[in-house]
Amino acid sequence: MISIATIPVKTYLSKSKIPGFDYVINPYVGCPHKCVYCYAEYMRKFSGHAEAWGDFLDVKTCPVPLRPAKLFRTRVMLSSVTDPYNPYEKQYELTRNLLKQLIFCQARVYILTKSALVLRDLDLFTQMQHCEVAFSFSSADDAFRRLAESGASSVEEKVHALKTLHEAGIQTAVMVAPLFPEISDWRAILDLTHPYVTRYGFDSLNMRPAYQRKVMAFIGQHFPQFLPLYSDIYLKEKTDYWQALSAQITDYCTQANIPAEIYFGSSRSYSGD
Ligand code: SF4
């Protein structure tokens, strides 16, 4: 059972620390998608919640509208520590209302989600001068998605959403992330999505020490055969696995002419046009 509260905030905007974006908007605190590897769980500490991550959701309210002069042609990302299309967005429509304001501000909007609910706002995306919708996939296997990202849309729903967005002329991206060593079937993700995707990013399963125990327990329970490898990578911090994987992805994407950026390994690399 999720506990939901409404919390007043002075602004929805945060200055972005993520390269490529000017501002980030997180309309909610918390995320019911409950990904086992969620890096945003540290938000619990700031929000004062005793509930487990995924069991609470704060709905932000702000009476002050976004300022067009401040946001004109800036790059605004939704979202970094929540999913702007969590299931409760259907009811609260915070993201939808913010997008309407961002159209008026003529901001460049980048959406990162794991939910097909994003399709509800297709009418708004088509009114934007620039809009990109990115989905993240850790696997093309929905059985794994159910284990690792139980609240997110199914693989099939996400692929359908990408296709619909692409056919409507919206720019789309796929973040192949986080890559679970020996589990994430990245070639299958490319095969499923390639016809509908403008660009790809790849990122590793980058566990902060605070989350290592949780993810290692998940691997131990569901994929015990990979525990020695995960131990080498995460506890002994061996980097050769990521370097080899980075080289494989670069080769594959270069040969298939798939625009891809790799955010791990010895250096950030790019392949494709
Ligand atoms: S969708 Fe993102 S913010 Fe939500 S639980 Fe998953 S990783 Fe965390």
PDB file of all heavy atoms in Angstrom, residues 20-31:
ATOM      1  N   GLY A  20      24.317  18.600 -20.460  1.00  0.00           N
ATOM      2  CA  GLY A  20      23.373  18.683 -21.582  1.00  0.00           C
ATOM      3  C   GLY A  20      22.026  19.285 -21.237  1.00  0.00           C
ATOM      4  O   GLY A  20      21.216  19.525 -22.129  1.00  0.00           O
ATOM      5  N   PHE A  21      21.767  19.527 -19.956  1.00  0.00           N
ATOM      6  CA  PHE A  21      20.474  20.086 -19.559  1.00  0.00           C
ATOM      7  C   PHE A  21      20.685  21.310 -18.666  1.00  0.00           C
ATOM      8  O   PHE A  21      21.620  21.360 -17.873  1.00  0.00           O
ATOM      9  CB  PHE A  21      19.637  19.055 -18.788  1.00  0.00           C
ATOM     10  CG  PHE A  21      19.451  17.775 -19.557  1.00  0.00           C
ATOM     11  CD1 PHE A  21      20.148  16.626 -19.211  1.00  0.00           C
ATOM     12  CD2 PHE A  21      18.607  17.732 -20.653  1.00  0.00           C
ATOM     13  CE1 PHE A  21      19.995  15.461 -19.934  1.00  0.00           C
ATOM     14  CE2 PHE A  21      18.447  16.573 -21.383  1.00  0.00           C
ATOM     15  CZ  PHE A  21      19.146  15.438 -21.025  1.00  0.00           C
ATOM     16  N   ASP A  22      19.776  22.285 -18.827  1.00  0.00           N
ATOM     17  CA  ASP A  22      19.854  23.485 -17.983  1.00  0.00           C
ATOM     18  C   ASP A  22      19.080  23.291 -16.680  1.00  0.00           C
ATOM     19  O   ASP A  22      19.525  23.725 -15.621  1.00  0.00           O
ATOM     20  CB  ASP A  22      19.278  24.687 -18.745  1.00  0.00           C
ATOM     21  CG  ASP A  22      20.049  24.940 -20.033  1.00  0.00           C
ATOM     22  OD1 ASP A  22      21.267  25.172 -19.939  1.00  0.00           O
ATOM     23  OD2 ASP A  22      19.447  24.853 -21.123  1.00  0.00           O
ATOM     24  N   TYR A  23      17.926  22.675 -16.794  1.00  0.00           N
ATOM     25  CA  TYR A  23      17.075  22.481 -15.610  1.00  0.00           C
ATOM     26  C   TYR A  23      16.532  21.061 -15.589  1.00  0.00           C
ATOM     27  O   TYR A  23      16.388  20.422 -16.640  1.00  0.00           O
ATOM     28  CB  TYR A  23      15.886  23.452 -15.623  1.00  0.00           C
ATOM     29  CG  TYR A  23      16.301  24.892 -15.487  1.00  0.00           C
ATOM     30  CD1 TYR A  23      16.374  25.711 -16.617  1.00  0.00           C
ATOM     31  CD2 TYR A  23      16.615  25.434 -14.249  1.00  0.00           C
ATOM     32  CE1 TYR A  23      16.776  27.031 -16.500  1.00  0.00           C
ATOM     33  CE2 TYR A  23      17.013  26.754 -14.118  1.00  0.00           C
ATOM     34  CZ  TYR A  23      17.089  27.550 -15.256  1.00  0.00           C
ATOM     35  OH  TYR A  23      17.487  28.852 -15.133  1.00  0.00           O
ATOM     36  N   VAL A  24      16.212  20.619 -14.375  1.00  0.00           N
ATOM     37  CA  VAL A  24      15.547  19.327 -14.189  1.00  0.00           C
ATOM     38  C   VAL A  24      14.264  19.580 -13.407  1.00  0.00           C
ATOM     39  O   VAL A  24      14.241  20.414 -12.497  1.00  0.00           O
ATOM     40  CB  VAL A  24      16.446  18.345 -13.399  1.00  0.00           C
ATOM     41  CG1 VAL A  24      15.693  17.060 -13.082  1.00  0.00           C
ATOM     42  CG2 VAL A  24      17.706  18.023 -14.176  1.00  0.00           C
ATOM     43  N   ILE A  25      13.210  18.884 -13.790  1.00  0.00           N
ATOM     44  CA  ILE A  25      11.962  18.944 -13.030  1.00  0.00           C
ATOM     45  C   ILE A  25      11.609  17.541 -12.546  1.00  0.00           C
ATOM     46  O   ILE A  25      11.506  16.612 -13.354  1.00  0.00           O
ATOM     47  CB  ILE A  25      10.797  19.491 -13.882  1.00  0.00           C
ATOM     48  CG1 ILE A  25      11.074  20.950 -14.288  1.00  0.00           C
ATOM     49  CG2 ILE A  25       9.481  19.394 -13.113  1.00  0.00           C
ATOM     50  CD1 ILE A  25       9.993  21.566 -15.167  1.00  0.00           C
ATOM     51  N   ASN A  26      11.452  17.418 -11.232  1.00  0.00           N
ATOM     52  CA  ASN A  26      10.956  16.172 -10.627  1.00  0.00           C
ATOM     53  C   ASN A  26       9.606  16.500 -10.001  1.00  0.00           C
ATOM     54  O   ASN A  26       9.558  17.032  -8.889  1.00  0.00           O
ATOM     55  CB  ASN A  26      11.941  15.667  -9.564  1.00  0.00           C
ATOM     56  CG  ASN A  26      13.194  15.113 -10.185  1.00  0.00           C
ATOM     57  OD1 ASN A  26      13.164  14.067 -10.830  1.00  0.00           O
ATOM     58  ND2 ASN A  26      14.311  15.816 -10.013  1.00  0.00           N
ATOM     59  N   PRO A  27       8.507  16.204 -10.670  1.00  0.00           N
ATOM     60  CA  PRO A  27       7.206  16.621 -10.142  1.00  0.00           C
ATOM     61  C   PRO A  27       6.809  15.882  -8.863  1.00  0.00           C
ATOM     62  O   PRO A  27       5.945  16.348  -8.137  1.00  0.00           O
ATOM     63  CB  PRO A  27       6.225  16.264 -11.272  1.00  0.00           C
ATOM     64  CG  PRO A  27       7.067  15.987 -12.471  1.00  0.00           C
ATOM     65  CD  PRO A  27       8.390  15.547 -11.969  1.00  0.00           C
ATOM     66  N   TYR A  28       7.420  14.745  -8.614  1.00  0.00           N
ATOM     67  CA  TYR A  28       7.086  13.916  -7.451  1.00  0.00           C
ATOM     68  C   TYR A  28       8.352  13.620  -6.659  1.00  0.00           C
ATOM     69  O   TYR A  28       9.458  13.642  -7.216  1.00  0.00           O
ATOM     70  CB  TYR A  28       6.485  12.574  -7.899  1.00  0.00           C
ATOM     71  CG  TYR A  28       5.221  12.727  -8.722  1.00  0.00           C
ATOM     72  CD1 TYR A  28       5.281  12.848 -10.114  1.00  0.00           C
ATOM     73  CD2 TYR A  28       3.967  12.753  -8.108  1.00  0.00           C
ATOM     74  CE1 TYR A  28       4.129  13.002 -10.875  1.00  0.00           C
ATOM     75  CE2 TYR A  28       2.812  12.898  -8.860  1.00  0.00           C
ATOM     76  CZ  TYR A  28       2.901  13.023 -10.241  1.00  0.00           C
ATOM     77  OH  TYR A  28       1.754  13.187 -10.978  1.00  0.00           O
ATOM     78  N   VAL A  29       8.176  13.300  -5.376  1.00  0.00           N
ATOM     79  CA  VAL A  29       9.254  12.700  -4.578  1.00  0.00           C
ATOM     80  C   VAL A  29       8.844  11.253  -4.347  1.00  0.00           C
ATOM     81  O   VAL A  29       7.735  10.993  -3.871  1.00  0.00           O
ATOM     82  CB  VAL A  29       9.434  13.404  -3.215  1.00  0.00           C
ATOM     83  CG1 VAL A  29      10.596  12.759  -2.446  1.00  0.00           C
ATOM     84  CG2 VAL A  29       9.667  14.889  -3.396  1.00  0.00           C
ATOM     85  N   GLY A  30       9.737  10.329  -4.697  1.00  0.00           N
ATOM     86  CA  GLY A  30       9.409   8.904  -4.605  1.00  0.00           C
ATOM     87  C   GLY A  30       9.092   8.367  -5.988  1.00  0.00           C
ATOM     88  O   GLY A  30       8.921   9.142  -6.938  1.00  0.00           O
ATOM     89  N   CYS A  31       9.048   7.037  -6.082  1.00  0.00           N
ATOM     90  CA  CYS A  31       8.747   6.441  -7.388  1.00  0.00           C
ATOM     91  C   CYS A  31       8.180   5.038  -7.204  1.00  0.00           C
ATOM     92  O   CYS A  31       8.882   4.141  -6.731  1.00  0.00           O
ATOM     93  CB  CYS A  31       9.990   6.391  -8.271  1.00  0.00           C
ATOM     94  SG  CYS A  31       9.585   5.833  -9.946  1.00  0.00           S
TER      95      CYS A  31
END
